[in-house]
Amino acid sequence: MSREVTIGIEIHCELKTKTKMFSGAPVSFGAQANTNTSVIDLGHPGTLPCVNREAVRLAIKACAGLHCTIDPLVKFDRKNYYYSDLPKGFQITQQFHPIGKDGYVTIETEDGKKNVRIERIHMEEDTAKQFHKDTGTYIDFNRAGTPLVEIVSRPDMHSAAEAAAYVEALRRTLFYLNVSDVKMEEGSMRCDINISLSYDPEKLGTKVEIKNLNSIANVQKAVQAEIERQNAALDAGEEIIQSTRRYDEPSKQTVLMRKKEGTVDYKYFPEPNIFPIRLDQAWIDSIVNSLEELPEQRLSRFEKDYGLSSYDATVLVNDRDMADFYEEVMKHTKAAKKAANWVIGDLSAWLNKNGLNFAKNPADPKAIARLITLIEDGSISGKQGKVVFEEVMKGADPDQVIKEKGMIQVSDDGALLEMINKVLDENPKSIEDFKNGKNRAVGFLMGQVMKASKGQANPKKANQLLTQELSKR
């Protein structure tokens, strides 16, 4: 009998604001250490916090996009604990009155679509960042006070694949909503995952937490490694200890950070320096009613309006910048499938080769659309299109490239028949081979036709005419 795996995930996501949660200090990733600070965020005596309106607006967007009930009464609480990356000695959060609750995220599983419930979304401020080196521990307070939402799921996931799918779906939604840049590698989105194993689905096993996973791939790897570790320990008769662990990439294992002997009492109490705020319902409604198109909505529209397969639509929608570029291309062509193939295939490969992504894509969507049209109408072959594409990516006009390289395809029946009959007259042995059922002869003759036309014969039309002429001989 296999053990039931139960997974819950807490995600901290930095909001896309210009200033901190409770001060006017700037938010800027990569700035020189300890330059984006404020006496408010550092907890100097006599300073008072002021709630960032834009952070509240973005939190409401996150709640709406994740189907949560939004609480119009905003209240903050103090979470009291001492740690070196927490300059005030407490964190301002929303323990008792989260801004959103009872939402869900839809994920794709082996058994189809599944809703993972979201218990709550609350606003809080980020901590500073520590750097542990041989010469000591250093602290950068630039991050202290950065606006966050913490998104807490219900324990609805039961495999590493489901955990990864949940994090990816959440990341994609928040990015589409422009709530956050969700760059896990920069720490603007961080995952803490709780895992327990039990034979009894009604009774959870001992919970183990994996902290600070920094990529979707590592979410799946870490969860799978921890499931295997706990199964092996339980099979050996060992007890699972409540603990916090991290994922070690070189060894592909989870490593103990610290044991947990009980629930920490943070002695929460209402934040005395921020009075409760009653949000205007009309303001909330205006935010909810003006949300950007959500990923699932765009996916459905791509399949319906462009006739794309579920696979192609999903690949495009998973990268918002790629999907945006595809839509720009589609303003200038009706070849939806061909356009998807070029954007997902050749263009993506070119960007990867040159260390770029779609956010820094130099291609002109109108030029890409024109290239697709030229291939579709038979002006150039697909092989020639690859050559033209390389020049288009350098900023060239596709029509000019075709003209300069003499690539215009010969599609005139008369001109093609003249070349075909000349080739047939010069290759009587191949005609005989064709009549004897050797189909390779057609390939050879087509090669001679393309050679005679210097690669400019329309392959499709030339092949049709060649077959017709062979049947007459």
Side-chain angles (χ1 to χ4, degrees), residues 49-61:
C50 181
V51 178
N52 185 328
R53 177 188 173 94
E54 177 64 7
V56 177
R57 188 183 75 85
L58 294 177
I60 290 171
K61 288 182 71 175

Side-chain angles (χ1 to χ4, degrees), residues 292-346:
E292 292 88 341
E293 184 180 41
L294 293 172
E296 56 265 31
Q297 294 169 335
R298 194 175 213 181
L299 183 66
S300 177
R301 182 168 61 81
F302 274 22
E303 292 178 7
K304 181 181 177 182
D305 293 357
Y306 299 131
L308 296 180
S309 67
S310 176
Y311 174 80
D312 285 346
T314 299
V315 172
L316 290 168
V317 170
N318 278 346
D319 184 333
R320 190 187 69 188
D321 295 315
M322 183 194 294
D324 288 346
F325 183 81
Y326 174 76
E327 296 231 65
E328 289 299 313
V329 172
M330 286 305 300
K331 290 178 180 178
H332 308 285
T333 179
K334 294 183 179 180
K337 172 60 178 173
K338 185 76 76 174
N341 289 345
W342 274 93
V343 172
I344 294 170
D346 295 77

Side-chain angles (χ1 to χ4, degrees), residues 329-336 338-339 342 365-381 385 398-399 402 409:
V329 172
M330 286 305 300
K331 290 178 180 178
H332 308 285
T333 179
K334 294 183 179 180
K338 185 76 76 174
W342 274 93
K366 191 173 182 179
I368 296 295
R370 177 59 181 159
L371 171 60
I372 292 166
T373 299
L374 290 165
I375 297 171
E376 282 287 285
D377 67 17
S379 297
I380 58 173
S381 67
D399 288 289
I402 292 168
Q409 282 198 148

Side-chain angles (χ1 to χ4, degrees), residues 35-155:
T35 56
N36 293 348
T37 59
S38 161
V39 291
I40 295 173
D41 304 313
L42 295 174
H44 285 206
T47 59
L48 293 172
C50 181
V51 178
N52 185 328
R53 177 188 173 94
E54 177 64 7
V56 177
R57 188 183 75 85
L58 294 177
I60 290 171
K61 288 182 71 175
C63 291
L66 298 172
H67 315 288
C68 291
T69 300
I70 299 167
D71 191 341
L73 184 60
V74 174
K75 290 185 177 182
F76 288 95
D77 307 291
R78 280 194 186 182
K79 180 180 181 180
N80 295 276
Y81 67 99
Y82 177 77
Y83 201 62
S84 53
D85 63 6
L86 193 69
K88 295 197 292 281
F90 62 86
Q91 181 186 36
I92 301 177
T93 182
Q94 289 188 302
Q95 174 64 14
F96 303 116
H97 295 89
I99 192 166
K101 61 183 180 180
D102 300 330
Y104 66 89
V105 169
T106 303
I107 64 171
E108 289 286 349
T109 72
E110 292 180 349
D111 300 319
K113 292 184 183 297
K114 171 181 177 177
N115 286 345
V116 176
R117 294 171 298 162
I118 291 174
E119 178 182 341
R120 57 185 282 144
I121 297 178
H122 60 263
M123 296 179 288
E124 61 187 23
E125 58 183 334
D126 208 345
T127 61
K129 188 173 182 179
Q130 295 190 111
F131 298 88
H132 303 288
K133 300 184 178 181
D134 293 340
T135 52
T137 296
Y138 300 83
I139 304 179
D140 180 6
F141 288 100
N142 281 350
R143 199 176 70 180
T146 297
L148 286 177
V149 285
E150 181 173 347
I151 303 168
V152 183
S153 82
R154 297 279 185 182

Side-chain angles (χ1 to χ4, degrees), residues 195-212:
I195 306 170
S196 69
L197 272 62
S198 172
Y199 282 125
D200 184 358
E202 302 299 321
K203 185 179 179 181
L204 299 181
T206 302
K207 181 174 64 177
V208 174
E209 182 181 36
I210 308 175
K211 295 285 284 187
N212 294 335

Side-chain angles (χ1 to χ4, degrees), residues 229 315 460:
R229 184 193 74 83
V315 172
K460 186 176 180 180

Side-chain angles (χ1 to χ4, degrees), residues 412-469:
D412 177 71
D413 286 9
L416 288 173
L417 283 169
E418 185 178 340
M419 281 187 280
I420 289 168
N421 281 305
K422 184 179 179 183
V423 167
L424 291 175
D425 290 342
E426 293 173 352
N427 295 277
K429 181 67 168 62
S430 295
I431 298 173
E432 186 179 339
D433 288 342
F434 172 76
K435 289 181 177 180
N436 290 329
K438 296 180 179 179
N439 292 329
R440 288 180 301 175
V442 177
F444 170 76
L445 291 168
M446 264 301 296
Q448 296 303 303
V449 171
M450 295 305 294
K451 183 178 179 181
S453 70
K454 297 180 180 178
Q456 290 179 262
N458 183 315
K460 186 176 180 180
K461 184 166 282 192
N463 191 65
Q464 291 173 347
L465 294 173
L466 174 61
T467 304
Q468 291 174 17
E469 292 303 303

